[in-house]
Amino acid sequence: MQNRAESRTPVTVIGLGLMGQALAGAFLREGHPTTVWNRTAARAEQLVAQGASLADSAGEAVAASPLVVVCVTDHDAVHKLLEPLGDVLDGRVLVNLTSGTSQETRDTAEWASRRGAAYLGGAIMAIPQAIGTEEALILYCGPRSTFALHEATLRSLGAGAMYLGADHGLSTLYAAAGASLMWSVLNGFLYGAALLDTAGVDASTFVSFARQNIATAAGWLSGYAQQIHDGAYPASDATIDTHLAAMDLLVHESEALGVNADLPRFFKALGDRAVAEGHGGDGYAAVIELFRRTSEVRV
Ligand code: NAP
């Protein structure tokens, strides 16, 4: 009978910063024979104590496993590391979890394919402490068959492994869309807390009301998506004219209370522009037309 390590795919992790150490640690905990390499070798010490093999060079690390995960600062560092290695990538699967733009990810995928590697682009939507847990969401894109081949191994890094499609830019685009949602919700909450603070309301009192509002807005998303798909924005609830009047009130309220009005001013600038372009009678989803092109909105 095979022991646990023999039945697990050997993996290599290159880049042992805060995130790379967490990735290698998660593979080790799941019993994968794990080879590691880092420019600064001292960062491998703890992992070696946990059973990882330290390669003498990046080339040796790549050669050690069929599945190679790289997680360094940026795509420049990925190229500096891997380009001098010759044809050692040929026939291997390279999973690049380094952050970058969608173009960088597509370019790196093309480069890897010229070197004979199957490539999965990835984006980590988690902090190092969450890696290997139910909470860790990691987005992957590239050939479906490559993801399917290593899905079980990649799930060692987090139960929330999500495959998005063949386009190598997708993981970074989804990550950017996720970040935009996060900052929009958090800025909305913080601005709201500042408004309520003027009446002596503690932020913790605002939390359940805020959650309810976020859930209500989330309930509208499917309808908005349908309108975006159709390219028609009938106002089934409120027109942009109605939204704009409320935005104007919000700017005035903020100014009168001495609260920073930049956020509602930005909302109002979007509303003004949408009305100027003839969308005043449309539903709010028509604002997508402004986001689809480079900015003409002046705050
Ligand atoms: P980090 O702690 O700063 O580690 C950076 C790593 O990159 C180190 O291993 C460093 O090696 C290596 N590196 C940088 N330039 C290099 C070069 N030219 N050649 C070889 N190695 C080089 O960063 P991190 O937090 O691990 O983040 C790594 C990636 O994960 C980034 O793209 C980041 O955006 C992404 N990420 C991080 C988090 C997070 O919460 N930390 C969350 C999501 C995504 P040395 O040790 O030798 O300097």
Side-chain angles (χ1 to χ4, degrees):
M1 214 171 78
Q2 283 184 319
N3 71 28
R4 192 167 172 236
E6 281 170 353
S7 67
R8 297 281 201 268
T9 304
V11 293
T12 285
V13 177
I14 293 184
L16 302 174
L18 293 172
M19 187 51 86
Q21 290 188 36
L23 300 172
F27 283 132
L28 282 168
R29 282 196 299 282
E30 286 301 307
H32 291 276
T34 304
T35 300
V36 294
W37 183 84
N38 193 54
R39 182 178 59 179
T40 308
R43 292 181 103 171
E45 277 169 13
Q46 268 193 343
L47 292 160
V48 170
Q50 290 163 30
S53 307
L54 177 61
D56 284 336
S57 65
E60 189 183 288
V62 172
S65 313
L67 180 63
V68 178
V69 174
V70 60
C71 185
V72 290
T73 305
D74 53 28
H75 279 248
D76 268 358
V78 172
H79 286 278
K80 275 188 192 133
L81 258 170
L82 299 182
E83 276 182 15
L85 302 188
D87 60 4
V88 68
L89 274 171
D90 194 3
R92 295 178 199 285
V93 172
L94 178 64
V95 180
N96 185 8
L97 298 180
T98 304
S99 301
T101 65
S102 55
Q103 191 56 48
E104 282 176 324
T105 312
R106 287 177 183 135
D107 291 347
T108 306
E110 213 180 293
W111 172 85
S113 125
R114 286 199 300 274
R115 293 295 178 100
Y119 183 89
L120 292 174
I124 301 173
M125 310 283 289
I127 57 172
Q129 291 75 3
I131 295 300
T133 73
E134 294 282 312
E135 283 166 36
L137 173 61
I138 305 187
L139 311 176
Y140 296 96
C141 50
R144 181 180 288 279
S145 55
T146 307
F147 178 75
L149 185 65
H150 290 294
E151 180 175 356
T153 301
L154 294 173
R155 283 198 184 278
S156 303
L157 302 179
M162 190 185 280
Y163 175 73
L164 300 167
D167 178 347
H168 286 107
L170 283 178
S171 56
T172 50
L173 289 175
Y174 268 87
S180 137
L181 282 170
M182 175 186 74
W183 286 317
S184 300
V185 168
L186 294 180
N187 282 328
F189 175 75
L190 296 171
Y191 165 73
L195 268 183
L196 288 168
D197 189 42
T198 64
V201 178
D202 189 81
S204 58
T205 310
F206 174 38
V207 170
S208 69
F209 178 83
R211 283 207 175 113
Q212 217 179 322
N213 275 260
I214 292 165
T216 302
W220 299 335
L221 299 185
S222 307
Y224 274 45
Q226 186 62 51
Q227 291 198 351
I228 293 166
H229 175 81
D230 296 343
Y233 316 102
S236 48
D237 43 21
T239 62
I240 289 185
D241 282 333
T242 303
H243 279 278
L244 189 56
M247 289 163 176
D248 204 31
L249 269 177
L250 202 53
V251 171
H252 282 104
E253 182 74 290
S254 305
E255 287 171 349
L257 294 172
V259 167
N260 187 318
D262 288 350
L263 194 62
R265 272 194 210 109
F266 173 65
F267 299 152
K268 185 175 171 320
L270 279 175
D272 282 335
R273 185 77 203 178
V275 169
E277 293 190 9
H279 292 295
D282 284 340
Y284 198 74
V287 170
I288 183 76
E289 299 291 344
L290 308 186
F291 283 125
R292 275 195 168 126
R293 48 181 204 261
T294 53
S295 181
E296 289 167 24
V297 174
R298 297 273 173 266
V299 182

PDB file of all heavy atoms in Angstrom, residues 12 14 35 37 55 57-68 81-82 85 87-90 92 94:
ATOM      1  N   THR A  12       6.597  21.937  -6.185  1.00  0.00           N
ATOM      2  CA  THR A  12       7.686  22.872  -5.898  1.00  0.00           C
ATOM      3  C   THR A  12       7.075  24.244  -5.652  1.00  0.00           C
ATOM      4  O   THR A  12       6.161  24.661  -6.390  1.00  0.00           O
ATOM      5  CB  THR A  12       8.651  22.933  -7.099  1.00  0.00           C
ATOM      6  OG1 THR A  12       9.436  21.742  -7.094  1.00  0.00           O
ATOM      7  CG2 THR A  12       9.578  24.134  -7.016  1.00  0.00           C
ATOM      8  N   ILE A  14       8.283  28.166  -5.424  1.00  0.00           N
ATOM      9  CA  ILE A  14       9.379  29.118  -5.612  1.00  0.00           C
ATOM     10  C   ILE A  14       8.907  30.485  -5.134  1.00  0.00           C
ATOM     11  O   ILE A  14       7.857  30.978  -5.582  1.00  0.00           O
ATOM     12  CB  ILE A  14       9.790  29.158  -7.094  1.00  0.00           C
ATOM     13  CG1 ILE A  14      10.419  27.811  -7.468  1.00  0.00           C
ATOM     14  CG2 ILE A  14      10.762  30.304  -7.364  1.00  0.00           C
ATOM     15  CD1 ILE A  14      10.964  27.734  -8.865  1.00  0.00           C
ATOM     16  N   THR A  35       9.207  20.656  -2.546  1.00  0.00           N
ATOM     17  CA  THR A  35      10.542  21.223  -2.737  1.00  0.00           C
ATOM     18  C   THR A  35      10.374  22.738  -2.741  1.00  0.00           C
ATOM     19  O   THR A  35       9.414  23.258  -3.320  1.00  0.00           O
ATOM     20  CB  THR A  35      11.136  20.767  -4.087  1.00  0.00           C
ATOM     21  OG1 THR A  35      11.217  19.340  -4.063  1.00  0.00           O
ATOM     22  CG2 THR A  35      12.525  21.355  -4.309  1.00  0.00           C
ATOM     23  N   TRP A  37      12.338  26.770  -2.930  1.00  0.00           N
ATOM     24  CA  TRP A  37      13.524  27.581  -3.236  1.00  0.00           C
ATOM     25  C   TRP A  37      13.154  29.045  -3.036  1.00  0.00           C
ATOM     26  O   TRP A  37      12.037  29.476  -3.339  1.00  0.00           O
ATOM     27  CB  TRP A  37      13.996  27.385  -4.689  1.00  0.00           C
ATOM     28  CG  TRP A  37      15.260  28.160  -4.957  1.00  0.00           C
ATOM     29  CD1 TRP A  37      16.533  27.768  -4.698  1.00  0.00           C
ATOM     30  CD2 TRP A  37      15.360  29.490  -5.486  1.00  0.00           C
ATOM     31  NE1 TRP A  37      17.429  28.756  -5.036  1.00  0.00           N
ATOM     32  CE2 TRP A  37      16.734  29.833  -5.523  1.00  0.00           C
ATOM     33  CE3 TRP A  37      14.422  30.441  -5.927  1.00  0.00           C
ATOM     34  CZ2 TRP A  37      17.202  31.063  -5.980  1.00  0.00           C
ATOM     35  CZ3 TRP A  37      14.889  31.672  -6.382  1.00  0.00           C
ATOM     36  CH2 TRP A  37      16.260  31.970  -6.403  1.00  0.00           C
ATOM     37  N   ALA A  55      15.930  23.194  -2.482  1.00  0.00           N
ATOM     38  CA  ALA A  55      16.729  23.030  -3.705  1.00  0.00           C
ATOM     39  C   ALA A  55      17.895  24.008  -3.676  1.00  0.00           C
ATOM     40  O   ALA A  55      17.797  25.086  -3.081  1.00  0.00           O
ATOM     41  CB  ALA A  55      15.845  23.275  -4.919  1.00  0.00           C
ATOM     42  N   SER A  57      19.120  25.497  -6.321  1.00  0.00           N
ATOM     43  CA  SER A  57      18.941  26.564  -7.319  1.00  0.00           C
ATOM     44  C   SER A  57      17.485  26.542  -7.781  1.00  0.00           C
ATOM     45  O   SER A  57      16.779  25.531  -7.582  1.00  0.00           O
ATOM     46  CB  SER A  57      19.847  26.303  -8.525  1.00  0.00           C
ATOM     47  OG  SER A  57      19.415  25.107  -9.172  1.00  0.00           O
ATOM     48  N   ALA A  58      17.083  27.633  -8.450  1.00  0.00           N
ATOM     49  CA  ALA A  58      15.708  27.671  -8.965  1.00  0.00           C
ATOM     50  C   ALA A  58      15.521  26.571 -10.009  1.00  0.00           C
ATOM     51  O   ALA A  58      14.466  25.928 -10.063  1.00  0.00           O
ATOM     52  CB  ALA A  58      15.436  29.045  -9.564  1.00  0.00           C
ATOM     53  N   GLY A  59      16.552  26.321 -10.824  1.00  0.00           N
ATOM     54  CA  GLY A  59      16.464  25.280 -11.858  1.00  0.00           C
ATOM     55  C   GLY A  59      16.259  23.904 -11.237  1.00  0.00           C
ATOM     56  O   GLY A  59      15.428  23.119 -11.690  1.00  0.00           O
ATOM     57  N   GLU A  60      16.993  23.627 -10.170  1.00  0.00           N
ATOM     58  CA  GLU A  60      16.857  22.336  -9.491  1.00  0.00           C
ATOM     59  C   GLU A  60      15.450  22.218  -8.886  1.00  0.00           C
ATOM     60  O   GLU A  60      14.829  21.146  -8.901  1.00  0.00           O
ATOM     61  CB  GLU A  60      17.917  22.241  -8.378  1.00  0.00           C
ATOM     62  CG  GLU A  60      18.023  20.878  -7.756  1.00  0.00           C
ATOM     63  CD  GLU A  60      19.025  20.866  -6.605  1.00  0.00           C
ATOM     64  OE1 GLU A  60      20.234  20.951  -6.872  1.00  0.00           O
ATOM     65  OE2 GLU A  60      18.593  20.808  -5.441  1.00  0.00           O
ATOM     66  N   ALA A  61      14.951  23.325  -8.370  1.00  0.00           N
ATOM     67  CA  ALA A  61      13.602  23.319  -7.776  1.00  0.00           C
ATOM     68  C   ALA A  61      12.550  22.997  -8.837  1.00  0.00           C
ATOM     69  O   ALA A  61      11.656  22.172  -8.611  1.00  0.00           O
ATOM     70  CB  ALA A  61      13.313  24.677  -7.128  1.00  0.00           C
ATOM     71  N   VAL A  62      12.663  23.622 -10.002  1.00  0.00           N
ATOM     72  CA  VAL A  62      11.688  23.358 -11.073  1.00  0.00           C
ATOM     73  C   VAL A  62      11.767  21.897 -11.504  1.00  0.00           C
ATOM     74  O   VAL A  62      10.747  21.226 -11.697  1.00  0.00           O
ATOM     75  CB  VAL A  62      11.931  24.302 -12.281  1.00  0.00           C
ATOM     76  CG1 VAL A  62      11.059  23.899 -13.467  1.00  0.00           C
ATOM     77  CG2 VAL A  62      11.658  25.753 -11.896  1.00  0.00           C
ATOM     78  N   ALA A  63      12.990  21.393 -11.614  1.00  0.00           N
ATOM     79  CA  ALA A  63      13.179  20.013 -12.091  1.00  0.00           C
ATOM     80  C   ALA A  63      12.638  18.979 -11.104  1.00  0.00           C
ATOM     81  O   ALA A  63      12.358  17.844 -11.486  1.00  0.00           O
ATOM     82  CB  ALA A  63      14.664  19.765 -12.350  1.00  0.00           C
ATOM     83  N   ALA A  64      12.435  19.387  -9.850  1.00  0.00           N
ATOM     84  CA  ALA A  64      12.079  18.415  -8.807  1.00  0.00           C
ATOM     85  C   ALA A  64      10.627  17.943  -8.866  1.00  0.00           C
ATOM     86  O   ALA A  64      10.303  16.892  -8.308  1.00  0.00           O
ATOM     87  CB  ALA A  64      12.362  19.024  -7.430  1.00  0.00           C
ATOM     88  N   SER A  65       9.735  18.692  -9.510  1.00  0.00           N
ATOM     89  CA  SER A  65       8.300  18.356  -9.426  1.00  0.00           C
ATOM     90  C   SER A  65       7.588  18.608 -10.755  1.00  0.00           C
ATOM     91  O   SER A  65       7.958  19.522 -11.499  1.00  0.00           O
ATOM     92  CB  SER A  65       7.620  19.231  -8.360  1.00  0.00           C
ATOM     93  OG  SER A  65       8.360  19.257  -7.173  1.00  0.00           O
ATOM     94  N   PRO A  66       6.517  17.859 -11.000  1.00  0.00           N
ATOM     95  CA  PRO A  66       5.733  18.129 -12.214  1.00  0.00           C
ATOM     96  C   PRO A  66       4.894  19.403 -12.079  1.00  0.00           C
ATOM     97  O   PRO A  66       4.498  20.005 -13.072  1.00  0.00           O
ATOM     98  CB  PRO A  66       4.818  16.907 -12.325  1.00  0.00           C
ATOM     99  CG  PRO A  66       4.734  16.353 -10.935  1.00  0.00           C
ATOM    100  CD  PRO A  66       6.015  16.688 -10.247  1.00  0.00           C
ATOM    101  N   LEU A  67       4.634  19.796 -10.836  1.00  0.00           N
ATOM    102  CA  LEU A  67       3.786  20.972 -10.570  1.00  0.00           C
ATOM    103  C   LEU A  67       4.620  22.021  -9.833  1.00  0.00           C
ATOM    104  O   LEU A  67       5.133  21.765  -8.740  1.00  0.00           O
ATOM    105  CB  LEU A  67       2.593  20.551  -9.698  1.00  0.00           C
ATOM    106  CG  LEU A  67       1.584  21.638  -9.320  1.00  0.00           C
ATOM    107  CD1 LEU A  67       0.894  22.197 -10.560  1.00  0.00           C
ATOM    108  CD2 LEU A  67       0.537  21.072  -8.362  1.00  0.00           C
ATOM    109  N   VAL A  68       4.765  23.179 -10.467  1.00  0.00           N
ATOM    110  CA  VAL A  68       5.623  24.231  -9.910  1.00  0.00           C
ATOM    111  C   VAL A  68       4.772  25.471  -9.636  1.00  0.00           C
ATOM    112  O   VAL A  68       4.129  26.006 -10.542  1.00  0.00           O
ATOM    113  CB  VAL A  68       6.744  24.599 -10.910  1.00  0.00           C
ATOM    114  CG1 VAL A  68       7.605  25.725 -10.372  1.00  0.00           C
ATOM    115  CG2 VAL A  68       7.589  23.370 -11.226  1.00  0.00           C
ATOM    116  N   LEU A  81      13.629  35.278 -12.629  1.00  0.00           N
ATOM    117  CA  LEU A  81      13.898  33.976 -12.030  1.00  0.00           C
ATOM    118  C   LEU A  81      13.890  32.847 -13.046  1.00  0.00           C
ATOM    119  O   LEU A  81      14.771  31.989 -13.034  1.00  0.00           O
ATOM    120  CB  LEU A  81      12.740  33.663 -11.071  1.00  0.00           C
ATOM    121  CG  LEU A  81      12.941  33.848  -9.601  1.00  0.00           C
ATOM    122  CD1 LEU A  81      11.621  33.720  -8.886  1.00  0.00           C
ATOM    123  CD2 LEU A  81      13.902  32.774  -9.135  1.00  0.00           C
ATOM    124  N   LEU A  82      12.864  32.829 -13.900  1.00  0.00           N
ATOM    125  CA  LEU A  82      12.625  31.645 -14.727  1.00  0.00           C
ATOM    126  C   LEU A  82      13.293  31.713 -16.099  1.00  0.00           C
ATOM    127  O   LEU A  82      13.633  30.676 -16.675  1.00  0.00           O
ATOM    128  CB  LEU A  82      11.116  31.411 -14.890  1.00  0.00           C
ATOM    129  CG  LEU A  82      10.338  31.146 -13.594  1.00  0.00           C
ATOM    130  CD1 LEU A  82       8.867  30.886 -13.887  1.00  0.00           C
ATOM    131  CD2 LEU A  82      10.926  29.947 -12.832  1.00  0.00           C
ATOM    132  N   LEU A  85      16.503  29.765 -16.975  1.00  0.00           N
ATOM    133  CA  LEU A  85      16.547  28.342 -16.635  1.00  0.00           C
ATOM    134  C   LEU A  85      16.531  27.391 -17.824  1.00  0.00           C
ATOM    135  O   LEU A  85      16.445  26.178 -17.645  1.00  0.00           O
ATOM    136  CB  LEU A  85      15.376  27.986 -15.697  1.00  0.00           C
ATOM    137  CG  LEU A  85      15.321  28.760 -14.386  1.00  0.00           C
ATOM    138  CD1 LEU A  85      14.242  28.189 -13.481  1.00  0.00           C
ATOM    139  CD2 LEU A  85      16.667  28.728 -13.659  1.00  0.00           C
ATOM    140  N   ASP A  87      15.431  24.973 -20.751  1.00  0.00           N
ATOM    141  CA  ASP A  87      14.213  24.229 -21.096  1.00  0.00           C
ATOM    142  C   ASP A  87      13.682  23.367 -19.949  1.00  0.00           C
ATOM    143  O   ASP A  87      12.884  22.468 -20.150  1.00  0.00           O
ATOM    144  CB  ASP A  87      14.453  23.374 -22.345  1.00  0.00           C
ATOM    145  CG  ASP A  87      15.584  22.377 -22.131  1.00  0.00           C
ATOM    146  OD1 ASP A  87      16.111  22.321 -20.992  1.00  0.00           O
ATOM    147  OD2 ASP A  87      15.927  21.658 -23.085  1.00  0.00           O
ATOM    148  N   VAL A  88      14.090  23.690 -18.718  1.00  0.00           N
ATOM    149  CA  VAL A  88      13.680  22.839 -17.595  1.00  0.00           C
ATOM    150  C   VAL A  88      12.155  22.881 -17.348  1.00  0.00           C
ATOM    151  O   VAL A  88      11.563  21.955 -16.782  1.00  0.00           O
ATOM    152  CB  VAL A  88      14.489  23.196 -16.308  1.00  0.00           C
ATOM    153  CG1 VAL A  88      14.126  24.561 -15.788  1.00  0.00           C
ATOM    154  CG2 VAL A  88      14.316  22.143 -15.240  1.00  0.00           C
ATOM    155  N   LEU A  89      11.510  23.938 -17.830  1.00  0.00           N
ATOM    156  CA  LEU A  89      10.048  24.037 -17.648  1.00  0.00           C
ATOM    157  C   LEU A  89       9.279  23.115 -18.601  1.00  0.00           C
ATOM    158  O   LEU A  89       8.092  22.857 -18.392  1.00  0.00           O
ATOM    159  CB  LEU A  89       9.596  25.483 -17.892  1.00  0.00           C
ATOM    160  CG  LEU A  89       9.677  26.440 -16.701  1.00  0.00           C
ATOM    161  CD1 LEU A  89       9.409  27.865 -17.161  1.00  0.00           C
ATOM    162  CD2 LEU A  89       8.685  26.047 -15.612  1.00  0.00           C
ATOM    163  N   ASP A  90       9.955  22.656 -19.637  1.00  0.00           N
ATOM    164  CA  ASP A  90       9.295  21.853 -20.668  1.00  0.00           C
ATOM    165  C   ASP A  90       8.585  20.635 -20.045  1.00  0.00           C
ATOM    166  O   ASP A  90       9.207  19.863 -19.302  1.00  0.00           O
ATOM    167  CB  ASP A  90      10.363  21.383 -21.677  1.00  0.00           C
ATOM    168  CG  ASP A  90       9.723  20.852 -22.947  1.00  0.00           C
ATOM    169  OD1 ASP A  90       8.479  20.902 -23.060  1.00  0.00           O
ATOM    170  OD2 ASP A  90      10.466  20.370 -23.814  1.00  0.00           O
ATOM    171  N   ARG A  92       6.268  20.664 -17.763  1.00  0.00           N
ATOM    172  CA  ARG A  92       5.772  20.863 -16.397  1.00  0.00           C
ATOM    173  C   ARG A  92       4.545  21.784 -16.394  1.00  0.00           C
ATOM    174  O   ARG A  92       4.270  22.445 -17.376  1.00  0.00           O
ATOM    175  CB  ARG A  92       6.859  21.498 -15.512  1.00  0.00           C
ATOM    176  CG  ARG A  92       7.987  20.573 -15.376  1.00  0.00           C
ATOM    177  CD  ARG A  92       9.154  21.030 -14.582  1.00  0.00           C
ATOM    178  NE  ARG A  92      10.262  20.192 -14.969  1.00  0.00           N
ATOM    179  CZ  ARG A  92      10.421  18.929 -14.579  1.00  0.00           C
ATOM    180  NH1 ARG A  92       9.589  18.375 -13.729  1.00  0.00           N
ATOM    181  NH2 ARG A  92      11.414  18.209 -15.031  1.00  0.00           N
ATOM    182  N   LEU A  94       3.141  25.050 -14.690  1.00  0.00           N
ATOM    183  CA  LEU A  94       3.561  26.226 -13.917  1.00  0.00           C
ATOM    184  C   LEU A  94       2.309  26.965 -13.446  1.00  0.00           C
ATOM    185  O   LEU A  94       1.476  27.376 -14.262  1.00  0.00           O
ATOM    186  CB  LEU A  94       4.411  27.145 -14.805  1.00  0.00           C
ATOM    187  CG  LEU A  94       4.899  28.456 -14.179  1.00  0.00           C
ATOM    188  CD1 LEU A  94       5.841  28.181 -13.007  1.00  0.00           C
ATOM    189  CD2 LEU A  94       5.608  29.316 -15.228  1.00  0.00           C
TER     190      LEU A  94
END
